[in-house]
Amino acid sequence: MNRFIRLFNASLVVAVAGMLIACDNAEEVSTASSEQLLVRGAGATFPQPLYEKWIGEYQKSNPGAKFVYEGVGSGEGIKRFIAGEVDFGASDAAMKDSEIAQVQRGVKLLPMTAGMVVLAYNIPGFEGDLRLPRDVYVDIFLGKIYRWDDPRIAAANPGITLPPRLIQTIGRRDSSGTTFAFTNHLGAISEAWRSGPGVGKLIDWPGGAMTGSGNTGVAQKIKITLNSIGYLEYGFAKRLGLPMAILENKAGEFVAPSARSGQLALAAGSEQATEDLRIYLPDPDGADSYPIVTYTWLLAYRDYPSAETAKAVKEAVEWGLDNGQQIAEEMGYIPLPENIRQRTKEVAETIN
């Protein structure tokens, strides 16, 4: 009996010790987890695939902070940034003075990459390259041209038969920097657009347009909707294999979206950068320039309440401006012109 009690007591001691060790280990894991800095961002869907790729690559060699990014659209991203609900925002439309004035901690607008807004389409049985003059694609989205066999479309595509079908336009239903870039271009080339639907992140689309949320939503709508055409970021259309229209540019040349045509468009306007890095190119110069390009901005605070968060944001931005540019090009984005990249690095250094 005494031997049994001794064995029981020994077993109990081992069990309790094991429990204490397990608790200590759990506490260490919990402490390590809680000590990892969480840096939260939200905003534009335009650069979302790139930012998610950057985060994955960056954290392989920089595990000290955990970055998360939520693609909710530029308008919602700016809203959350103003409210202080995130550590950084993202937008394809630079913040307005009235928006910046609402941020007591101050704002740094940091162009991180750029891209093209393309017109992707789904025309069953159509093969070849669809060419769209400037006045034609404006009128398609105004609802003035509503059939694919319209004489003005046919004149720009000789020898190609287009179906006698109604055109279904597709736009964004959420507040979007991609919408701003597209409508800013349409407003620059068309008085009818400027005085009609206008320029903005969220507009009322004429002509019974369908709508989707985010670049992904628009891409999916185009893919499943026959005889449709919609605007979205080049990389989304490329990854889904959607055909993209060749558009007439300011010089009167028809140019397809490509890394080269996008880079030429940015280069033509890279000297237009203002002191606060708000750069808009609604209708770029150059015979070989693609006509619809936009920068996309990371929104950082001038003053962070935490030195650790400020350091983490600055280091990640610097990595994106250096290592991240090649990744951007591989994913269908346009690397920043050198003068814009250097200027952005200088502004990022002033984050406190």
Side-chain angles (χ1 to χ4, degrees):
M1 183 68 176
N2 290 337
R3 182 173 176 272
F4 174 78
I5 293 173
R6 286 196 301 272
L7 288 173
F8 176 80
N9 289 339
S11 299
L12 182 61
V13 169
V14 171
V16 170
M19 290 172 64
L20 291 173
I21 291 171
C23 288
D24 287 343
N25 288 341
E27 184 176 351
E28 288 176 9
V29 171
S30 176
T31 301
S33 177
S34 64
E35 286 177 353
Q36 187 179 37
L37 180 67
L38 178 63
V39 182
R40 300 160 301 153
T45 63
F46 188 106
Q48 183 180 1
L50 177 61
Y51 286 176
E52 290 175 347
K53 178 69 172 178
W54 278 0
I55 288 170
E57 292 299 317
Y58 178 71
Q59 295 197 166
K60 289 178 182 178
S61 55
N62 297 272
K66 178 178 176 58
F67 284 79
V68 293
Y69 181 77
E70 185 179 2
V72 293
S74 295
E76 179 64 20
I78 290 174
K79 180 180 176 182
R80 294 188 189 184
F81 180 75
I82 291 172
E85 297 173 0
V86 292
D87 299 302
F88 67 92
S91 176
D92 307 323
M95 291 177 72
K96 302 175 184 176
D97 288 341
S98 59
E99 294 169 330
I100 291 174
Q102 299 176 56
V103 185
Q104 294 183 350
R105 288 193 267 158
V107 177
K108 298 295 181 181
L109 301 176
L110 305 173
M112 295 303 296
T113 189
M116 294 167 283
V117 179
V118 302
L119 298 184
Y121 57 88
N122 178 353
I123 308 175
F126 175 76
E127 296 182 1
D129 296 320
L130 179 66
R131 294 156 62 97
L132 294 177
R134 289 152 77 81
D135 60 327
V136 168
Y137 61 77
V138 171
D139 281 353
I140 287 175
F141 281 88
L142 282 172
K144 295 180 179 180
I145 293 178
Y146 50 87
R147 292 173 63 92
W148 281 114
D149 61 348
D150 185 278
R152 291 165 64 192
I153 300 177
N157 296 273
I160 297 177
T161 302
L162 286 155
R165 302 292 183 188
L166 293 176
I167 299 172
Q168 177 61 66
T169 55
I170 299 175
R172 289 280 288 271
R173 73 165 63 102
D174 54 327
S175 183
S176 157
T178 308
T179 298
F180 177 83
F182 182 51
T183 59
N184 197 29
H185 170 73
L186 296 182
I189 68 173
S190 167
E191 171 59 33
W193 190 274
R194 281 195 304 276
S195 60
V199 176
K201 294 192 288 289
L202 184 64
I203 68 166
D204 291 327
W205 291 101
M210 294 176 65
T211 57
S213 293
N215 278 279
T216 301
V218 171
Q220 291 172 343
K221 289 272 187 182
I222 295 169
K223 199 168 183 67
I224 65 173
T225 305
L226 303 183
N227 303 299
S228 62
I229 186 169
Y231 66 92
L232 69 161
E233 190 270 327
Y234 170 71
F236 282 85
K238 185 178 180 180
R239 284 188 290 276
L240 282 175
L242 295 173
M244 295 168 263
I246 299 173
L247 304 182
E248 183 185 9
N249 67 11
K250 187 176 183 178
E253 302 292 336
F254 285 89
V255 179
S258 69
R260 180 175 179 273
S261 63
Q263 289 169 345
L264 289 172
L266 290 189
S270 65
E271 300 304 323
Q272 298 179 24
T274 59
E275 186 68 19
D276 59 8
L277 288 173
R278 280 186 276 197
I279 318 160
Y280 293 120
L281 302 172
D283 195 21
D285 295 321
D288 297 316
S289 295
Y290 184 75
I292 316 178
V293 293
T294 182
Y295 286 94
T296 186
W297 289 263
L298 186 143
L299 316 175
Y301 296 107
R302 180 192 63 214
D303 301 312
Y304 280 87
S306 160
E308 290 78 13
T309 303
K311 182 175 183 289
V313 171
K314 287 170 70 170
E315 289 179 349
V317 165
E318 183 175 348
W319 185 93
L321 292 170
D322 290 333
N323 305 59
Q325 296 302 299
Q326 182 177 348
I327 297 174
E329 185 170 9
E330 291 168 355
M331 293 184 66
Y333 295 88
I334 309 172
L336 297 175
E338 183 59 23
N339 65 318
I340 302 299
R341 189 177 73 90
Q342 290 299 332
R343 175 62 184 141
T344 304
K345 292 180 77 170
E346 292 171 5
V347 172
E349 280 299 317
T350 65
I351 293 172
N352 300 311

